[in-house]
Structure formats: C-alpha cells, structure tokens
Amino acid sequence: MGTNTDTINLSIIYGIIAFLSFAILIAYRFTTKKREKWLMLLFAAVTVVNLGYYLIAISDTLESALMANRIAYLGSVFLPLSMFMAIVKACNIETGRNVQSLLIVSSVIMFLIAASPGILDVYYKSVELVFVNGMGKLEKEYGVLHPVYLFYLLSYFVSMVFSIVYAIIRKKIRSSKHAIILLTIVFLNIAIWFIERFIYWNFEFLSISYLISELLLVMLYSMLQDYGIIPGEAKLVVVMNENKKKEQLPEEIISKVMNEWPAKYSLTSREADVLKQLLINNRRKDIAENLHVSEHTIKKHTANIFMKTEVTSRNELFTKAKEECN
C-alpha cells in the first residue's frame, strides 16, 4: 500500500479525532460529579465510531477493514440512541424503562444487521477494499436491508426534532438559548448526513459533527445545572431548609393564585394540587402524605412548578404570588 501526504494527513486527522473523542469521554468521567449516563454513552459511542473510521483508513486487508467497519457501526447505532435520550432529558421529558429497553433492543438488532457484511449479503450485496490516495476505503453495493439503517437514523432525527418542539410548546425548556442549542445539534448532524449522502468525499465529516455535538451538549447540561436543574430528573436545587416553618400566605392570595396560575402557567391538575400545598407552606413530607404519593414524586412536581413559574425556590414562589396578586 502506497502512502503520500494526503494519505498521512487524512489518517492522522482520523486518529486525532478518535483521540479527542476519547479525551472528552475521560474528562467528563473524571471531572464531572453529576454525570448523566446517556451523555457517557454518547461520548463512548462517538469514541468507538471515530476509532472505527481510523481503523478503516489504515486497513490493508478486506477482513481488517470489515472488522473496523463493525466497530464503526457499533458506535453509529448507539450514537443516535444516546443523543436522543440526552436531548430528551435536557428537555425534561420523561421516558419509561420499557421505552428505553425497546430502543436498546432495536439498536442491538440494527447493529447485528449492519455487522453482517462478510458473513451475509443482506446489508452489503458486495464489498471490497480499495485505496484512495493509499488510504483504505470500503466500496459497497448495498443489499436489501441497508435501507433499514437509513430509516433507523431518520426516525431518531425526526424524534429529536419532535421532542424539542414538544418541549418548547409545553414550556419544558427553560429558555430560548436551550432550544437553539438543541436544534443546532440536531440540524447540524442532519445537514452533514444528507450532504454526505449526495456528495462524494474521501473524509467522513460526521466524525467532526459528532465532536461538536458532544461539546454543545456538555455546554447545555452545564447551563442547566447552573440554573439548578438536573436534566431528566426535573429536580431543582432548592436552597432552603424545609424543616423551618416560613411565612403563611394570606388566604385571599392563595385563592387568587389557584384560580389564575394553573391556566396561566399550563399546570397539570396534579401540579395544581402540589402548588396549593406549597402555598400553604406544608413540608414536602406532609404534601406527600396529604396527596398519597412519594416524596420523590412531590419533588418532581415541585421542580416542574418552579420551572413553569420561573422561580427557583419556595420563597421566590411566595414573592411572585404576592406581586401578581397585589
């Protein structure tokens, strides 16, 4: 296999990108106290897919290139899953364990299909290793099941956009900045993916867009934590001692708030019940007992109420109630 400056440069670029992906994973693992598991999976997936790209570039046999291709697909099929879940959690949208399990199973099935070249001809009808400027590249003729992967990716892209729009409409996203960052992440990857479908390049630019997406998500999660929000758990860091009994709002203010705020701030019926308990200034433990739910559930409802009414503590909630009702 011959080499030249173009080959060396592209191989080095792939290697650098793979190294940077791994460095981000390690940095997030050891420098962040409140780690999000889906971000961890996303960073791992990006590292694996970029490692696969690098190994394909330096492959000198079809067998080694196919193995590298399987490594790249291992990251590629779990990357949209982890990105989708990270975005959903940043949007404060809850997903049940059954949904998550179903998505994981579908990713495993997708990987088994994508990893079949060299064993079956259902994903690639035929494949050979060619060298472009001395760099390894797989030339494929797509098989009958290849469209399944395209559908897999498009489904995630559509789901990401739908989740963000839904969160904006339901006011689950705290600010327009968060919405812009999330939409930028999704549409950046969609744009690069579509461009690579129609324009022939020797370089996988998705490897760079993945890195950018990682950094944007880290920045977004940091912003959310600065607001006191832990993405996905809808929890707020409430700086107060609930064991201390604080002021009691006048009954007329509580009544006016309960008549106006549920519609004004799009509160659910259960959130309205919790709001009344908060205005009465009951402790979380007492609220849970009064409403026959767990304290964890009350914590989540309280977080949603604070987010929708744009306050960060019960004291701010009282102040806002007084200001709006006077």
Side-chain angles (χ1 to χ4, degrees):
M1 177 176 69
T3 61
N4 56 28
T5 304
D6 291 337
T7 306
I8 295 173
N9 287 342
L10 285 179
S11 298
I12 290 176
I13 291 173
Y14 277 127
I16 291 173
I17 292 174
F19 175 78
L20 288 175
S21 303
F22 181 69
I24 293 174
L25 171 63
I26 296 301
Y28 184 76
R29 170 63 179 80
F30 290 103
T31 63
T32 306
K33 292 182 179 179
K34 296 177 181 178
R35 292 183 294 275
E36 164 54 45
K37 65 178 181 180
W38 293 109
L39 275 184
M40 284 289 293
L41 180 60
L42 174 63
F43 296 158
V46 172
T47 300
V48 171
V49 70
N50 284 328
L51 174 62
Y53 289 157
Y54 172 67
L55 293 176
I56 292 173
I58 63 173
S59 294
D60 55 3
T61 66
L62 178 60
E63 290 72 20
S64 61
L66 285 174
M67 183 57 67
N69 193 55
R70 293 182 186 112
I71 292 172
Y73 265 112
L74 177 61
S76 294
V77 297
F78 284 99
L79 195 152
L81 164 64
S82 54
M83 184 178 292
F84 169 71
M85 290 304 304
I87 287 175
V88 163
K89 290 215 166 188
C91 290
N92 284 312
I93 298 174
E94 296 183 20
T95 56
R97 290 187 178 180
N98 290 338
V99 173
Q100 295 178 23
S101 298
L102 180 62
L103 293 177
I104 292 172
V105 169
S106 67
S107 295
V108 172
I109 294 172
M110 187 66 253
F111 170 68
L112 293 176
I113 294 173
S116 64
I119 303 172
L120 302 172
D121 61 359
V122 292
Y123 193 71
Y124 295 155
K125 189 179 297 184
S126 64
V127 59
E128 62 177 315
L129 178 64
V130 298
F131 298 100
V132 180
N133 295 325
M135 184 179 68
K137 182 177 179 64
L138 289 174
E139 287 287 344
K140 320 109 172 177
E141 181 183 357
Y142 295 130
V144 65
L145 290 185
H146 188 266
V148 175
Y149 180 65
L150 303 182
F151 176 78
Y152 177 83
L153 287 179
L154 286 174
S155 297
Y156 271 112
F157 285 144
V158 171
S159 298
M160 289 177 202
V161 174
F162 176 81
S163 298
I164 297 169
V165 172
Y166 171 81
I168 293 172
I169 294 174
R170 297 302 300 271
K171 298 181 180 179
K172 290 180 175 290
I173 295 180
R174 192 173 183 86
S175 75
S176 57
K177 289 181 181 178
H178 300 165
I180 291 172
I181 292 174
L182 289 170
L183 289 171
T184 298
I185 292 169
V186 177
F187 283 110
L188 169 67
N189 287 281
I190 291 175
I192 296 296
W193 183 77
F194 267 104
I195 290 172
E196 289 197 335
R197 298 283 74 75
F198 299 105
I199 299 178
Y200 178 81
W201 283 329
N202 290 331
F203 184 77
E204 293 281 357
F205 282 94
L206 275 172
S207 60
I208 296 177
S209 73
Y210 293 155
L211 280 180
I212 296 173
S213 299
E214 282 186 331
L215 296 175
L216 287 174
L217 275 172
V218 169
M219 181 175 68
L220 175 61
Y221 269 64
S222 297
M223 290 170 62
L224 290 173
Q225 289 177 352
D226 287 342
Y227 276 109
I229 300 174
I230 302 174
E233 299 296 331
K235 293 187 288 188
L236 293 179
V237 179
V238 182
V239 187
M240 63 176 289
N241 184 353
E242 286 199 310
N243 293 320
K244 282 187 177 181
K245 198 67 177 175
K246 299 192 182 296
E247 64 176 302
Q248 180 81 37
L249 283 176
E251 185 61 37
E252 59 270 19
I253 291 182
I254 295 176
S255 178
K256 190 171 183 181
V257 167
M258 293 309 302
N259 285 333
E260 297 177 359
W261 282 22
K264 182 177 180 179
Y265 294 108
S266 302
L267 302 180
T268 66
S269 59
R270 179 55 78 180
E271 287 169 354
D273 293 338
V274 175
L275 173 62
K276 185 172 183 179
Q277 295 288 319
L278 291 173
L279 295 174
I280 296 172
N281 209 10
N282 284 334
R283 295 181 306 169
R284 187 163 60 221
K285 181 179 179 180
D286 295 332
I287 298 174
E289 291 178 357
N290 292 340
L291 299 181
H292 307 291
V293 295
S294 68
E295 285 191 56
H296 178 69
T297 299
I298 297 302
K299 208 172 183 180
K300 291 168 67 175
H301 286 313
T302 302
N304 286 334
I305 293 169
F306 285 177
M307 181 179 67
K308 290 179 180 180
T309 56
E310 298 181 346
V311 300
T312 59
S313 69
R314 197 180 297 205
N315 282 341
E316 287 187 20
L317 185 73
F318 285 3
T319 300
K320 188 181 184 74
K322 290 177 184 177
E323 291 175 349
E324 292 194 8
C325 295
N326 287 334

